[in-house]
């Protein structure tokens, strides 16, 4: 049977009352934390060890994330260097009515580090 390649989010999380303001909209800080979580997860897998965020580009938010939305974070590897990985992290929300909304895209660079926090070569297999 022919396999269809599905786009799989690195992280999927629901916006609950603990993530929103009093008006039911997700706070930017919560979303940034999820973005960093998705990016570092992918970079840790690729580098087979710890990483740190060295640079993040400017963010722009196209739409709000609302209470109850399911938030999907997709990661695309843009550049794999000797010690660093640059990723595009895209955020989409599924509303409770089933509609899908594009929220933001961020470009972030992660550097593989050793136990002392010094940069190290990637160990991608
Ligand atoms: C409204 C709400 C408010 C919210 C507020 C908003 C905040 C928006 C946050 C968003 C979401 C994220 C949230 C992160 C949250 C944290 O993670 S906080 C920051 C945590 N990061 C750190 O602490 C890292 C601190 N920096 C360091 O420790 C050192 O600079 C590093 C990363 C170990 C690099 O050390 P180094 O000696 O420069 O390393 P070096 O061997 O020369 O270079 C290694 C590689 O890094 C690359 N590199 C070095 N510097 C850079 C650079 N600046 N750019 C790109 N690549 C670089 C080099 O090109 C090299 O790559 P390769 O060409 O080999 O692949």
């Amino acid at each position: 049977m022919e396999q269809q390649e599905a786009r799989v989010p690195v992280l999927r999380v629901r916006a609950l009352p603990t993530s929103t303001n009093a008006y039911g909209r997700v706070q930017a800080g919560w979303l940034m934390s999820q973005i960093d979580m998705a990016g570092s997860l992918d970079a840790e897998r690729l580098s087979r060890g710890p990483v740190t965020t060295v640079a993040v580009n400017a963010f722009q938010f196209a739409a709000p994330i609302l209470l109850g939305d399911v938030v999907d974070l997709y990661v695309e590897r843009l550049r794999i260097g000797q010690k660093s990985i640059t990723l595009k992290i895209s955020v989409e929300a599924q509303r409770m009515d089933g509609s899908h909304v594009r929220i933001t895209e961020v470009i972030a660079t992660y550097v593989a580090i050793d136990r002392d926090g010094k940069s190290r070569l990637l160990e991608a297999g």
Side-chain angles (χ1 to χ4, degrees):
M1 196 170 75
E2 202 172 302
Q3 296 268 331
Q4 237 189 342
E5 209 172 296
R7 204 167 154 240
V8 179
V10 166
L11 198 64
R12 170 173 282 174
V13 58
R14 192 157 194 214
L16 295 174
T18 46
S19 343
T20 67
N21 64 20
Y23 300 94
R25 287 179 175 222
V26 154
Q27 316 251 39
W30 179 85
L31 179 57
M32 287 170 185
S33 168
Q34 303 306 318
I35 289 171
D36 200 39
M37 185 80 75
S40 59
L41 213 157
D42 189 68
E44 282 169 12
R45 278 187 189 146
L46 182 82
S47 75
R48 299 187 180 170
V51 298
T52 189
T53 314
V54 74
V56 183
N57 76 339
F59 287 40
Q60 286 188 20
F61 301 100
I65 297 175
L66 307 178
L67 180 63
D69 284 359
V70 174
V71 182
D72 286 329
L73 295 103
Y74 298 91
V75 174
E76 186 186 332
R77 293 173 182 170
L78 299 182
R79 177 183 176 271
I80 300 176
Q82 285 196 300
K83 296 179 169 180
S84 72
I85 304 150
T86 300
L87 304 173
K88 179 161 88 177
I89 303 147
S90 307
V91 182
E92 295 175 15
Q94 290 176 44
R95 301 279 194 232
M96 286 199 284
D97 66 5
S99 59
H100 288 247
V101 186
R102 197 179 65 78
I103 305 295
T104 193
E105 277 181 3
V106 176
I107 308 239
T109 301
Y110 293 86
V111 177
I113 51 169
D114 62 20
R115 282 187 189 178
D116 301 320
K118 303 268 186 250
S119 61
R120 65 176 168 88
L121 293 171
L122 300 177
E123 292 175 27

